[in-house]
Amino acid sequence: MHLSIKFILIFILFLSFQSFAQKEINIINGAVVEYDKCGYPMDGSDLGQYISPEYMGYSYDSLLVDLELWRMSEYVKIDSIGLSVQGRPLWQLIISSDPNNVAGKRTVHVHARTHPQETEGFYVTEQMINLLFSESELAQTVRANCVFYIIPMYNPDGVELGHPRTNANNVDLEANWNTIPHQPEVAALKARFIQLMASANPMEVMLNMHSSSLCTRYFVYHHENGTTPSYALKEQNFINGVRNYFPGGIEPYTYFVSWTSGTALQYPESWCWINHGENIMALTYEDMYQCTGTGKFDSTANAILRGVMDYMNIQILPIELLSFSANYSNGFINLNWTTVSEINNRGFEIERSNDKSNWRLIGFKEGSGTTTEQQSYFFADELDNINDNTLYYRLKQMDYNGTFDYSDVIVIEVSPSSFSLHQNYPNPFNPSTVIKYQLPVSSQVSLKVFDVLGNEVVTLVNENKSAGSYEVELNSSSLSSGIYIYQLRTAGFLQAKKMILLR
């Protein structure tokens, strides 16, 4: 009898500990509040105030249409991990450079639309898919190194039935990972997790995409009381890394702190932590739910993808150069380039070469720092004493921390379209000035200087020149102050200009 009572007491204490560990005590901006991690009331008593008639916004039929469009990409394989309560497939996208052969690829898992009303979490996921299908430097690097498993609609029954937060059995799939028996959707996703973790390429990152009524973007940070100090630090570094790519867009990790009283047991992240500890960076991301600032899903997706790559130590170039071109006009090489996005970009040094080996710095263009918006740049290189018909250009992109990277080299054939004599510079001058001219074809050239009475005072050029742009320096040491005329003469061209020497 005594042993039975002792066993009962131990069992009660065990249940008490379990309840304590599962209770979500969240700290938002330093205050303890009774909301779940999506910012909705714990008891669901006033959930209706958060639901508008158009909260769904993206139906199961919409997903079926998109699936057919996504199938057109060579970088995706689409299958199903199982069925919902009502028999709808839980569709999965496998995205990589070759989705049919992912051996050696590092694994990231993303799932969205657990709570049907939180459509914004899907819209961020959709933009991640679009980015991964693109030919940007980011996408190519991600596909070459990783495989992304993405479930865009984890609760299709809830979406079709109009259930804000539950499946067809009126169960919240997010908070029932420790309930036996599992809901079909939970069982399917857990089986997929188990399969991936037993593979040669286990999950390194698992992202659970939601949206919050708190009208902010944030990650749900797990306190060290529910994990470990070292894992908490890894979470901090991950979240800070994502925020670096979306300045001011995502809250600091201290904004929403969970698991302060122990490890919660009911979430997908709980399963990851309990079974695999620090091996998986498992986090919930919360986007803005129907708020004034809702949007910028592409910026968020870009930041998350880049943050994941940084966490996995996969290097992405600091800028994505969309185009870089050159054209010649009236003695100038006009350089144009466009970036898709930039990260900590201090600017561009512009370099020129006539042999593709020896490079000369000819200018600098300030960058745009960090941005996901397309940026366009222009630089005009005025040719001086260049006789080569072929010129090479490249950009040296420089970060604020001193690191740099070179663009591809572009080449341009310089062929002036007409004879031209430029105004000397400086003018007035003392003691010297530079005179520039250009020739569209090889010519016998005469460049002379006359005084105002027409007397020749100096011959600067008198020889045959090939087509190109030239400059000549005039030193006035033997001349007196006054007005002078300089004249360019070829077989079919004659032009003169005035200059002033001031002593």
Side-chain angles (χ1 to χ4, degrees):
M1 189 70 172
H2 176 72
L3 290 175
S4 299
I5 294 173
K6 184 176 180 180
F7 175 79
I8 291 171
L9 288 174
I10 292 174
F11 184 70
I12 291 173
L13 287 172
F14 174 76
L15 290 179
S16 298
F17 172 77
Q18 292 290 87
S19 298
F20 176 76
Q22 291 180 49
K23 184 177 180 182
E24 275 293 316
I25 301 174
N26 298 317
I27 301 174
I28 302 176
N29 283 339
V32 177
V33 293
E34 292 185 357
Y35 293 101
D36 67 11
K37 60 183 177 179
C38 299
Y40 298 98
M42 287 283 202
D43 59 8
S45 58
D46 57 348
L47 187 60
Q49 68 171 303
Y50 298 106
I51 302 173
S52 65
E54 54 282 330
Y55 82 87
M56 288 301 177
Y58 187 89
S59 67
Y60 186 69
D61 287 342
S62 301
L63 175 64
L64 296 179
V65 171
D66 275 344
L67 286 171
E68 293 308 308
L69 295 175
W70 291 335
R71 286 184 202 275
M72 298 173 65
S73 172
E74 63 182 300
Y75 306 123
V76 68
K77 176 182 177 182
I78 299 176
D79 58 17
S80 166
I81 65 168
L83 301 176
S84 66
V85 172
Q86 295 187 335
R88 294 181 175 87
L90 305 179
W91 296 107
Q92 172 186 250
L93 281 67
I94 304 174
I95 303 176
S96 192
S97 55
D98 180 359
N100 294 304
N101 180 13
V102 297
K105 296 297 180 70
R106 301 174 70 178
T107 301
V108 178
H109 195 284
V110 181
H111 68 278
R113 214 69 190 276
T114 303
H115 294 145
Q117 76 188 77
E118 297 169 18
T119 319
E120 294 79 6
F122 163 77
Y123 291 143
V124 175
T125 305
E126 180 184 39
Q127 289 301 317
M128 292 173 66
I129 294 170
N130 292 339
L131 277 171
L132 291 171
F133 285 168
S134 74
E135 294 302 332
S136 67
E137 185 74 33
L138 170 62
Q140 292 181 52
T141 303
V142 173
R143 293 194 302 262
N145 290 276
C146 301
V147 53
F148 269 65
Y149 296 92
I150 299 179
I151 299 175
M153 190 177 290
Y154 175 48
N155 184 2
D157 293 353
V159 171
E160 286 302 284
L161 296 172
H163 292 182
R165 300 176 68 71
T166 61
N167 71 348
N169 290 333
N170 288 314
V171 174
D172 185 345
L173 300 177
E174 179 67 10
N176 274 273
W177 277 61
N178 62 331
T179 302
I180 304 296
H182 292 317
Q183 293 296 302
E185 297 88 349
V186 172
L189 187 55
K190 182 179 289 188
R192 189 68 175 120
F193 283 0
I194 293 172
Q195 181 184 40
L196 290 174
M197 294 310 295
S199 71
N201 308 305
M203 289 188 297
E204 294 183 54
V205 177
M206 189 283 285
L207 297 177
N208 187 2
M209 308 297 288
H210 289 254
S211 62
S212 169
S213 68
L214 299 177
C215 288
T216 48
R217 302 180 189 91
Y218 58 90
F219 286 91
V220 178
Y221 168 69
H222 304 132
H223 194 274
E224 63 183 60
N225 290 347
T227 56
T228 61
S230 59
Y231 184 74
L233 181 60
K234 290 175 70 173
E235 288 181 285
Q236 294 170 26
N237 292 335
F238 178 89
I239 296 169
N240 288 337
V242 174
R243 294 182 70 239
N244 284 338
Y245 296 110
F246 193 3
I250 299 174
E251 299 295 324
Y253 74 88
T254 53
Y255 176 76
F256 199 104
V257 183
S258 65
W259 297 13
T260 55
S261 59
T263 305
L265 304 180
Q266 66 267 47
Y267 301 117
E269 298 93 312
S270 307
W271 182 91
C272 291
W273 174 255
I274 292 167
N275 290 277
H276 298 283
E278 297 185 10
N279 293 326
I280 307 176
M281 178 53 58
L283 291 171
T284 289
Y285 169 75
E286 300 281 354
D287 205 75
M288 290 183 176
Y289 173 76
Q290 295 192 14
C291 305
T292 303
T294 297
K296 297 186 177 180
F297 304 120
D298 55 346
S299 298
T300 305
N302 176 74
I304 291 175
L305 284 178
R306 290 183 180 276
V308 169
M309 293 302 100
D310 285 352
Y311 173 76
M312 299 170 75
N313 292 317
I314 297 173
Q315 184 178 5
I316 307 291
L317 290 179
I319 67 165
E320 292 190 38
L321 197 62
L322 180 63
S323 63
F324 180 31
S325 62
N327 66 79
Y328 176 79
S329 177
N330 297 322
F332 289 87
I333 301 293
N334 298 309
L335 301 173
N336 295 274
W337 65 98
T338 302
T339 63
V340 177
S341 62
E342 300 178 18
I343 306 166
N344 299 322
N345 179 24
R346 185 172 73 85
F348 304 88
E349 289 185 349
I350 301 99
E351 297 182 352
R352 181 182 68 208
S353 173
N354 58 6
D355 59 8
K356 210 175 180 180
S357 297
N358 300 298
W359 293 92
R360 174 188 172 192
L361 174 64
I362 60 172
F364 178 80
K365 205 72 175 178
E366 186 174 348
S368 300
T370 296
T371 177
T372 57
E373 302 295 328
Q374 183 170 298
Q375 304 293 320
S376 297
Y377 298 90
F378 171 79
F379 181 82
D381 179 23
E382 185 176 11
L383 299 184
D384 51 355
N385 205 29
I386 294 178
N387 304 324
D388 300 278
N389 290 331
T390 303
L391 295 175
Y392 303 91
Y393 290 88
R394 69 182 183 184
L395 302 173
K396 181 181 180 181
Q397 184 276 320
M398 306 178 68
D399 285 357
Y400 287 108
N401 63 7
T403 60
F404 61 88
D405 190 62
Y406 287 103
S407 72
D408 291 337
V409 175
I410 60 172
V411 60
I412 182 169
E413 300 295 329
V414 180
S415 179
S417 58
S418 63
F419 291 99
S420 177
L421 177 64
H422 298 270
Q423 184 64 52
N424 67 303
Y425 181 83
N427 187 41
F429 66 96
N430 180 25
S432 63
T433 189
V434 173
I435 299 171
K436 297 181 180 181
Y437 64 96
Q438 65 182 40
L439 310 172
V441 295
S442 296
S443 305
Q444 178 65 35
V445 177
S446 169
L447 179 61
K448 297 183 177 183
V449 179
F450 303 87
D451 63 21
V452 292
L453 298 178
N455 300 309
E456 180 182 329
V457 295
V458 64
T459 297
L460 298 174
V461 180
N462 187 22
E463 60 182 302
N464 191 72
K465 294 283 190 180
S466 59
S469 297
Y470 299 88
E471 68 172 31
V472 180
E473 183 178 9
L474 169 64
N475 190 298
S476 65
S477 58
S478 62
L479 302 178
S480 58
S481 297
I483 299 174
Y484 293 86
I485 307 298
Y486 60 99
Q487 180 190 80
L488 178 69
R489 180 190 293 272
T490 71
F493 179 78
L494 176 65
Q495 187 174 12
K497 289 183 181 290
K498 181 174 66 175
M499 59 183 172
I500 302 172
L501 170 61
L502 291 180
R503 294 292 187 188

